[in-house]
Structure formats: C-alpha cells, structure tokens
Amino acid sequence: MDYQEILEDIYQAIQPYAKEGKQADYIPELAKVNPDQFGMCINTIYGETASVGAADTRFSIQSISKVLSLAMCLSIKGDSLWERIGKEPSGTAFNSLVQLEIEKGIPRNPFINAGAIVMADLLLTHLENPEDDFLRFVRAVAGNDTIDYNRDVAASERSCGYLNAAIANMLKYHKTIDNDIERVLQFYFLMCSIEMSCRELSLAFMAFANHRRKFDYAGIILTPSQVKRINAILQTCGFYDEAGEFAYLVGLPGKSGVGGGIAAIYPLQYAVAVWSPRLNSKGNSVMGIKALELLTSQTKESIF
Ligand code: GLU
C-alpha cells in the first residue's frame, strides 16, 4: 500500500470542503487559530510513515487528551474506574448536562466532558504531581520530550468555562468528584491544552493501534486487553453524538477534539491523525472526517 500516494490524493480530493464549517470560538484562544489549515500523518506498525500538509504543525489536542487520561486512570484504578464512570455511548453533545442530571452524576463515558472531569479528579487524588506526571506520560507515549501544555489556552478556556463548571458542580453535588472543584477544572483544562502535531499524535496512538506491543510509558502500564478495551470505547464513544456517523463513514476507532484534530487507529495496522480547525455542528473536523472517510474507502481497510 502506497500511503504517501493515497494521502496526496486525499489532500486534493478534500479541497472542495476547505471552507466548510467553523473553528471553535467558545475558547477565545482557539478563535485566533488560522482555520484554513490541514495536516495528516499515518504510521504503520511496520514502520512506514506518510504525511501531507501541515502534519508537523502543533495544535490544541483538546478532547483527544481524554484518551491519554483514560489510559492513565485505567492503569491506576483498573476496573474500579467503572464505579464512577460508565462506558456507554452518550448520544448527546460533549458538554451536555441533561443526561448527567438524570443519571445522578455518573457520566455516561470517559470521553464526554463530565467523564473527563471525573478522570481529572481521580488523577489529582492518585498522582503525586498530576501536572508533571500527565505530561511525562504524554511525552513518553509520543516519544517526544518537547510536547507541552499551552497555559494561555487553558486560562482562556477557564475564563469562560461556565458549562464545564456547571458539570463539575453537579458532579460534586453527587459526590462523584472528591477534590476542590476549581482545582479539578484547572487540571482538566490544562490536559485539554496540550499541543501536538499530527505526526506526534499518530505516533502516540501507535500505542493503542498495536496492543501486542508492551504498553509501559513513564510507569503507566496497561495489559493488551486493557488497550483493546480503550479501543472499544473509542469506537463507541469517540465522537459524542456523531459516533454512529463516524463508524458509518470511516469505520475506525477514533477520538476528536474541538481544536480540529482527530486520531484514529486500525488495530494491528496503523494509527492516523488528521487536523483541520473548521468543525461541523457536532464539534468534529469537517475535512478531518472527510479525509478519514476517503482513507478507509481508498485502502478498503476498516474494522468492518
Ligand atoms: N476543552 C474542551 C471543552 O471542555 C474539550 C471539548 C472537545 O475537544 O471536544 O469544551
């Protein structure tokens, strides 16, 4: 398979969608990003790599960080994690409050904001230096020591993070989180603010694509079965209320973020990351989804 040629074809084919959608502007710092950018990078378990566009430009990974916090939480808590968070698709928006109220403060899954805020709380409880430990893990899994938080983005999100604050308050009311609400929110926003390029993300997601490889990064250890289970949750919950559409169009487990990034995996074959800031109404990258749909159509490779 000539992935470089395929990616170059895709790059051409998605150009008609270049102006569709709108970048996230509810986080003031993200509104400053040039929306007309696109990058894509694929890495196979056989060591092949291919990329197009701005594959080396770093962007705000936002909710893609939830996959990494889930890996950490599962390594630390094992199956007892599921006493606090469910693993069912939500079918609701990433920041929805309604379901959380009805379900008495137990988030549907780790990839909606409520679930990730609970994971931030657990990490604060269990890690000695949560900020340093999370960053060390991300750097280890991506094999790159220059990856960092963007504290301006985190502060910008906090400055108008009213809905996430409401979610954290509801979680606290139901005793699903233990730590101080403000501390939990600050750490949640900080994790979302990590910046990575498509190349770095796809390398990081190789750890999930190849569950036969030992998962042991900066002391965070998962069994092959735990990695496969993370992939199952990616498949069912990675795209909020568009998870069904993504499965239908693309057919790969993946996770999106409102920075416009998507990381996806084809188990035991490859990890791919794509980035373009313009989002559809569900908060997922328009060109990103299109590019991945073309990738699995052209290669005829998907999990289905
Ligand atoms: N930090 C973002 C928020 O809480 C993450 C959402 C996303 O990337 O989907 O709204």
Side-chain angles (χ1 to χ4, degrees):
M1 194 83 68
D2 187 343
Y3 286 110
Q4 188 58 41
E5 199 180 314
I6 292 170
L7 261 52
E8 277 162 22
D9 280 355
I10 292 172
Y11 196 26
Q12 294 309 316
I14 58 169
Q15 291 314 315
Y17 302 90
K19 295 287 176 189
E20 244 180 60
K22 190 165 137 312
Q23 82 214 79
D25 55 7
Y26 73 98
I27 301 172
E29 276 300 302
L30 292 189
K32 296 181 188 164
V33 175
N34 170 10
D36 299 320
Q37 301 188 78
F38 175 87
M40 186 169 188
C41 181
I42 189 167
N43 281 285
T44 75
I45 68 165
Y46 309 107
E48 299 149 282
T49 181
S51 61
V52 281
D56 292 300
T57 304
R58 284 185 175 161
F59 57 90
S60 197
I61 70 167
Q62 292 296 319
S63 276
I64 302 172
S65 66
K66 293 169 182 165
V67 186
L68 302 164
S69 37
L70 175 59
M72 260 188 131
C73 284
L74 211 50
S75 158
I76 294 167
K77 297 284 294 177
D79 275 347
S80 69
L81 174 64
W82 308 120
E83 289 161 16
R84 290 223 201 169
I85 310 175
K87 41 181 141 52
E88 293 296 336
S90 70
T92 57
F94 61 93
N95 51 9
S96 169
L97 261 175
V98 181
Q99 201 167 54
L100 191 62
E101 177 169 29
I102 294 170
E103 298 183 356
K104 304 209 169 0
I106 301 295
R108 264 293 168 98
N109 66 63
F111 294 155
I112 51 172
N113 287 9
I117 291 171
V118 172
M119 293 196 292
D121 177 66
L122 287 170
L123 294 177
L124 284 174
T125 300
H126 290 282
L127 298 174
E128 210 152 307
N129 301 298
E131 288 188 13
D132 293 348
D133 294 348
F134 184 71
L135 191 58
R136 193 167 337 109
F137 168 59
V138 177
R139 286 175 171 177
V141 81
N144 186 322
D145 270 352
T146 66
I147 292 168
D148 216 336
Y149 299 117
N150 182 330
R151 289 175 189 276
D152 292 339
V153 171
S156 158
E157 184 165 12
R158 180 64 196 103
S159 72
C160 35
Y162 309 115
L163 214 41
N164 284 315
I167 291 172
N169 275 279
M170 189 168 310
L171 291 167
K172 188 76 174 172
Y173 171 81
H174 286 288
K175 301 191 170 46
T176 320
I177 58 175
D178 297 326
N179 293 282
D180 171 63
I181 291 174
E182 189 53 38
R183 199 160 169 243
V184 175
L185 281 171
Q186 300 274 3
F187 185 45
Y188 165 71
F189 291 135
L190 196 64
M191 288 191 285
C192 288
S193 81
I194 286 211
E195 293 184 331
M196 291 168 81
S197 67
C198 289
R199 190 176 310 282
E200 289 158 354
L201 261 182
S202 75
L203 286 170
F205 271 69
M206 286 300 289
F208 301 96
N210 191 357
H211 59 264
R212 292 194 187 136
R213 189 167 83 182
K214 195 166 176 229
F215 194 111
D216 181 353
Y217 302 94
I220 299 300
I221 297 169
L222 293 173
T223 65
S225 155
Q226 284 174 314
V227 174
K228 281 199 285 183
R229 285 171 176 174
I230 290 176
N231 296 344
I233 302 172
L234 280 174
Q235 178 64 32
T236 52
C237 310
F239 289 78
Y240 316 118
D241 42 345
E242 206 174 22
E245 185 74 2
F246 189 77
Y248 179 80
L249 292 175
V250 177
L252 297 177
K255 183 75 203 81
S256 62
V258 293
I262 299 175
I265 57 154
Y266 183 29
L268 300 179
Q269 292 295 331
Y270 63 70
V272 58
V274 58
W275 168 61
S276 183
R278 289 183 189 270
L279 310 178
N280 64 19
S281 60
K282 310 278 189 182
N284 298 316
S285 171
V286 174
M287 281 179 117
I289 290 185
K290 196 70 207 166
L292 292 172
E293 182 191 347
L294 290 171
L295 175 68
T296 53
S297 304
Q298 291 198 13
T299 57
K300 299 187 179 56
E301 291 176 337
S302 93
I303 65 166
F304 299 108

